[in-house]
Amino acid sequence: RVYEPAVSVWDLIHRDCDLAWSAVNSHYILGIIGFTGMLWLRAYVMLLAASASKSLVNAASTGTAAATCLMVSIVNRGVESGGGTSVDRYGNTILDLFTHYAALLLKVATDEASPGPLQLSAMVLEIASLCFMFHVLITESDAKFEEQLTDEHSCPVDAYDVLRDDNEVSKLTKIEVEKLKTCVDLGEEEDKRQRIREWVLDEEDEREEVDDSGDYSSVNVSA
């Protein structure tokens, strides 16, 4: 493609490549924020699942936030510099860049001559994703997660009695019945292991008593 002569590089970009250039810059900073966000989320979930201390979770969160702030600050400086003047730039911060990019993308997506349904769908889905994320951040908490985790992985004391009662079983879902069966099986396995441990301890106590008394009459020695 041949472009008409322009006064400056910024004039060329703003006139002929505004959407593409805005997209490159916007996706770059969104990629940085998304990458650090995924690192924070992975660390948060792993530490939470491992029941790590609150201080360690806060240390991981603040460290990731510090890296994000530094990278966003660098990009903010670039957006503010722009083309070198107060006119040849998108704004003062990345928010101005995002606003400019969203406006251009919406304009292209709703163009009657060449509409972009996928572009419009991408914007709607992204807005919905952000709304769900903010909803989780506002409403969910560590206490609720731990309470849910305890409920899902805990076994009721009367699991065996419930399984023997046909009326109670009919009120449960298939998943709940399978969970109770698993709880009963685990309980039986634990009882077996406990009996084995008790038997081993009894055997060791008997050997110690024999050794202390010096009575080896019950011990068979073959030459």
Side-chain angles (χ1 to χ4, degrees), residues 1 3 9-27 87-91 96-105 107-108:
R1 180 182 177 181
Y3 295 100
V9 175
W10 177 261
D11 182 60
L12 175 65
I13 292 174
H14 192 68
R15 186 190 63 195
D16 299 316
C17 309
D18 199 8
L19 177 59
W21 187 250
S22 300
V24 168
N25 286 275
S26 298
H27 291 178
V87 178
D88 298 337
R89 63 181 184 180
Y90 291 121
D96 298 319
L97 173 63
F98 292 157
T99 303
H100 183 74
Y101 174 52
L104 290 176
L105 193 61
K107 180 180 179 181
V108 173

Side-chain angles (χ1 to χ4, degrees), residues 68-83:
T68 305
C69 290
L70 180 59
M71 289 185 286
V72 171
S73 175
I74 294 172
V75 177
N76 273 340
R77 297 292 185 182
V79 173
E80 186 179 12
S81 299

Side-chain angles (χ1 to χ4, degrees), residues 19-207:
L19 177 59
W21 187 250
S22 300
V24 168
N25 286 275
S26 298
H27 291 178
Y28 172 72
I29 185 59
L30 287 175
I32 290 177
I33 297 174
F35 176 70
T36 54
M38 290 295 291
L39 288 178
W40 169 80
L41 185 61
R42 177 178 174 82
Y44 177 77
V45 171
M46 291 182 66
L47 292 173
L48 192 62
S51 300
S53 64
K54 197 72 173 180
S55 300
L56 186 58
V57 176
N58 292 335
S61 301
T62 53
T64 308
T68 305
C69 290
L70 180 59
M71 289 185 286
V72 171
S73 175
I74 294 172
V75 177
N76 273 340
R77 297 292 185 182
V79 173
E80 186 179 12
S81 299
T85 64
S86 59
V87 178
D88 298 337
R89 63 181 184 180
Y90 291 121
N92 296 322
T93 64
I94 60 173
L95 297 179
D96 298 319
L97 173 63
F98 292 157
T99 303
H100 183 74
Y101 174 52
L104 290 176
L105 193 61
L106 182 62
K107 180 180 179 181
V108 173
T110 56
D111 186 10
E112 295 181 358
S114 178
L118 295 179
Q119 293 173 324
L120 187 61
S121 299
M123 296 182 67
V124 173
L125 292 174
E126 183 62 27
I127 293 173
S129 175
L130 292 175
C131 291
F132 285 122
M133 184 187 69
F134 285 123
H135 174 72
V136 170
L137 293 176
I138 294 173
T139 58
E140 298 293 332
S141 63
D142 296 350
K144 290 183 178 179
F145 176 80
E146 293 173 356
E147 181 180 353
Q148 180 181 0
L149 191 64
T150 303
D151 293 339
E152 290 179 354
H153 294 273
S154 61
C155 291
V157 180
D158 58 345
Y160 184 75
D161 295 333
V162 172
L163 287 177
R164 295 182 60 185
D165 191 341
D166 295 336
N167 292 329
E168 292 294 333
V169 172
S170 62
K171 299 177 183 178
L172 302 176
T173 62
K174 185 178 180 181
I175 297 176
E176 292 174 338
V177 173
E178 292 296 329
K179 178 183 176 181
L180 290 178
K181 290 181 179 179
T182 303
C183 290
V184 171
D185 293 339
L186 292 175
E188 293 177 351
E189 291 293 332
E190 182 62 27
D191 291 340
K192 292 179 181 179
R193 287 193 293 266
Q194 183 64 28
R195 287 195 294 269
I196 294 174
R197 284 194 294 265
E198 292 176 355
W199 178 80
V200 172
L201 291 175
D202 291 339
E203 290 291 325
E204 291 178 353
D205 291 339
E206 290 180 2
R207 292 195 195 97

